[in-house]
Amino acid sequence: MSEANDARAAEVRGTVVRLAMVSVFASALNVVVSIARGKVTAVILGPHGLGQAAEISQVIATAFVPLSLIGGPALVTALARALTRPEGERSPAKQRIIDTVSTVVILAAVPLTVAVVAASWGLFPSWRSQAVLYTALAALGTLFGALTAGPVQLLIASGDMRRFASLSVVTSVLQGVATIVATWLWKLEGQFFARAAAPAVILFLSVGVARKNDPRLRFWPRWLVDRSFFKEALAVGTASVVAGFTLQGALSVFRWRVQLAGGGTARGQYLNGQFQAAWAMGATYFGVVLTGLGNAVFPRYAAAADPEALGHEIDAAVSFVLRFAPPLILAAIALRRWVIPLLYSREFGPAEHLLGLTMAGDLAKAVSWAYAGPLLFRGLVRPFLLSEGLGAALLAGGAYLLIGRIGLDGAGWAYLGAYLAYVLLTRTIVARVCAVRPSWRALVFVGGFTAVALGAVWATDQTGLGGLVAQTVVLGAAAIWGVRTGVVSAAIRRIKRKLGRAAPAEGAGAG
């Protein structure tokens, strides 16, 4: 019995390693493609064109948040449950789920598309004819992308990771190359045509790959709604949808105030392009920490048996952030003045200081996520929505007040101030609702580090030899910090341990 358990454990470890490697590779490839796409977009379109593209993208992202209700975690869970049914019932159960996704997506996307295209006529009066076309193309691409969720999530739920990996590589390259080539040839028009055409091709490829997984399935839409699956999707996805709306609403305020700071003209679009560059770069680099929280920490919140165990998990999560994030943030602050021109162009100089201000607030952001996680992962929907709503209000309110007073940099100060307040807010809510007592020392550390990070931003903003010396000193401090806290050695040990386990796990799985 012990040998069987050991074999099963080895098989599970091998599966986890394979899934993790697929995820890491796909994510790394997406980052590379995104960087290449961003570079071409920045060079060809400049800040003005990037600002226009960002405005359309923001409208589309906000309008189509409801589609995540049916294509997210509820879809994977439902498909996985369908696979546990007796052999003769599996394909019919999966077919009902896929038909439900197609039906709901189309029924929701059509009126959303009409509404968002009509709204773009009034939202962008200085270039409304172009805006209407770009919005329609982006909406069409979003519809195709939402329909792709069915076949792609089927592969994930079935554990068909080889086909999923191949599909991920092909679609990432296809989307990136199509956007780069179309932008190079036809500028902004080409970019939005690629945003519609590439997802259509990807949908066709995804259906073909999923049919190999289960040839009995039909992926052409048939009007059907499985009520039990739909109810489950409503229950699971409502909190995420509301959180998505609040975040997109806050970002909309940011971009609206930045646009007004530029007079609502081409200058406003130029400033929006600067904001978009800083926001995208910040999200890319700090995704390392937030991905670590999502994959390694958050599931443990749900498994904690009592408040004492949950308290230990929260403290462990915060400890992880305080150990790993500070050297990463300092290194990013030191390198940002080199990275922005490299990945975008020298026209994006104003984004460098803005990015530094947001980086100074990133430790508070990560710790606040660690505090807010138990609210969602333990099913505490109302407190979670309260924290998300107040957090979005802090972001939007700060942006409204500060951007109008000090211009583009007000976006960075609003971000920093909002997350300093939000980390205190989430700590208070989770302590009261979950009956835990997270350590206050973490908040003291966050405040002190934020002050140090602001000093590093100011020093590395200097020009000439002084700025170069400051960048070298800050980067050296980040490297020493990372070594002394054991982050580098821990990462190396973990990689070696996983590689050491992968070989026997493969053998166990094959046996």
Side-chain angles (χ1 to χ4, degrees):
M1 205 50 194
S2 176
E3 292 181 1
N5 289 336
D6 290 343
R8 176 57 181 164
E11 181 181 357
V12 171
R13 287 196 298 267
T15 301
V16 170
V17 169
R18 289 193 294 273
L19 295 182
M21 291 303 102
V22 168
S23 178
V24 167
F25 181 72
S27 298
L29 184 61
N30 282 328
V31 169
V32 172
V33 171
S34 297
I35 289 173
R37 184 169 60 239
K39 178 67 175 178
V40 170
T41 300
V43 171
I44 300 299
L45 303 182
H48 179 270
L50 192 63
Q52 287 183 305
E55 287 182 292
I56 297 295
S57 298
Q58 181 67 61
V59 171
I60 293 295
T62 303
F64 283 86
V65 164
L67 295 189
S68 64
L69 184 74
I70 197 73
L75 173 57
V76 179
T77 302
L79 287 172
R81 288 176 180 172
L83 290 169
T84 64
R85 297 193 174 199
E87 180 66 32
E89 299 178 15
R90 292 178 188 173
S91 289
K94 289 188 289 185
Q95 187 67 69
R96 288 195 301 272
I97 294 168
I98 291 171
D99 284 340
T100 300
V101 171
S102 301
T103 300
V104 174
V105 165
I106 292 174
L107 289 178
V110 170
L112 286 174
T113 299
V114 173
V116 79
V117 169
S120 67
W121 180 266
L123 289 173
F124 310 109
S126 62
W127 49 293
R128 54 168 49 116
S129 59
Q130 293 173 299
V132 167
L133 174 62
Y134 299 159
T135 303
L137 291 171
L140 189 61
T142 303
L143 169 60
F144 291 141
L147 291 174
T148 304
V152 169
Q153 299 290 17
L154 174 66
L155 297 176
I156 295 174
S158 303
D160 195 349
M161 300 309 295
R162 185 167 59 180
R163 288 195 176 99
F164 172 72
S166 301
L167 181 63
S168 297
V169 171
V170 171
T171 55
S172 294
V173 173
L174 175 62
Q175 181 79 60
V177 170
T179 302
I180 289 170
V181 172
T183 304
W184 188 278
L185 294 176
W186 300 294
K187 298 186 178 180
L188 197 56
E189 289 82 357
Q191 182 166 117
F192 279 97
F193 273 109
R195 285 184 60 172
V201 176
I202 291 170
L203 173 60
F204 179 79
L205 293 175
S206 301
V207 168
V209 173
R211 285 292 303 274
K212 293 180 180 179
N213 177 274
D214 189 343
R216 293 165 292 184
L217 293 180
R218 166 188 43 76
F219 289 92
W220 295 110
R222 176 174 293 177
W223 305 115
L224 173 70
V225 174
D226 185 313
R227 292 186 178 181
S228 62
F229 166 53
F230 187 67
K231 289 180 179 178
E232 182 179 8
L234 287 176
V236 172
T238 298
S240 298
V241 169
V242 173
F245 268 128
T246 56
L247 176 60
Q248 293 301 328
L251 290 178
S252 296
V253 173
F254 270 80
R255 293 195 171 95
W256 170 62
R257 290 300 286 172
V258 169
Q259 180 81 14
L260 288 182
T265 60
R267 172 67 178 172
Q269 291 169 348
Y270 169 85
L271 293 178
N272 254 329
Q274 302 290 344
F275 173 78
Q276 174 68 16
W279 186 270
M281 184 57 58
T284 298
Y285 100 95
F286 208 61
V288 176
V289 175
L290 299 182
T291 298
L293 281 176
N295 292 340
V297 177
F298 286 168
R300 298 178 64 87
Y301 287 161
D306 52 48
E308 182 179 2
L310 179 61
H312 290 317
E313 295 294 346
I314 293 173
D315 286 339
V318 173
S319 177
F320 164 79
V321 172
L322 297 184
R323 180 184 179 191
F324 184 84
L328 174 64
I329 293 172
L330 289 179
I333 288 173
L335 294 172
R336 76 191 194 286
R337 295 194 63 190
W338 298 88
V339 172
I340 287 287
L342 178 66
L343 298 184
Y344 291 94
S345 72
R346 296 204 173 273
E347 290 186 85
F348 287 84
E352 295 173 7
H353 183 63
L354 172 59
L355 179 58
L357 292 175
T358 61
M359 287 175 169
D362 276 339
L363 185 63
K365 177 181 181 178
V367 174
S368 70
W369 277 42
Y371 285 148
L375 303 178
L376 179 61
F377 283 83
R378 295 180 75 85
L380 303 169
V381 175
R382 290 184 179 179
F384 174 75
L385 293 179
L386 174 64
S387 70
E388 290 295 298
L390 292 175
L394 288 169
L395 278 171
Y400 182 85
L401 293 174
L402 295 178
I403 295 174
R405 291 178 179 271
I406 59 178
L408 182 64
D409 286 347
W413 288 109
Y415 177 98
L416 188 154
Y419 277 110
L420 282 176
Y422 186 58
V423 70
L424 177 60
L425 173 69
T426 51
R427 194 267 178 203
T428 302
I429 292 177
V430 77
R432 180 178 295 273
V433 173
C434 297
V436 295
R437 295 181 178 179
S439 172
W440 284 102
R441 288 180 295 177
L443 297 185
V444 175
F445 183 90
V446 168
F449 177 81
T450 301
V452 171
L454 282 173
V457 172
W458 174 83
T460 55
D461 272 343
Q462 306 308 306
T463 58
L465 181 61
L468 183 60
V469 170
Q471 291 168 22
T472 304
V473 170
V474 173
L475 190 59
I480 294 171
W481 193 332
V483 171
R484 288 184 64 85
T485 56
V487 170
V488 176
S489 59
I492 293 173
R493 286 196 305 269
R494 188 169 184 81
I495 291 172
K496 287 182 177 180
R497 190 161 59 245
K498 284 185 175 293
L499 291 177
R501 290 175 179 175
E506 290 285 340

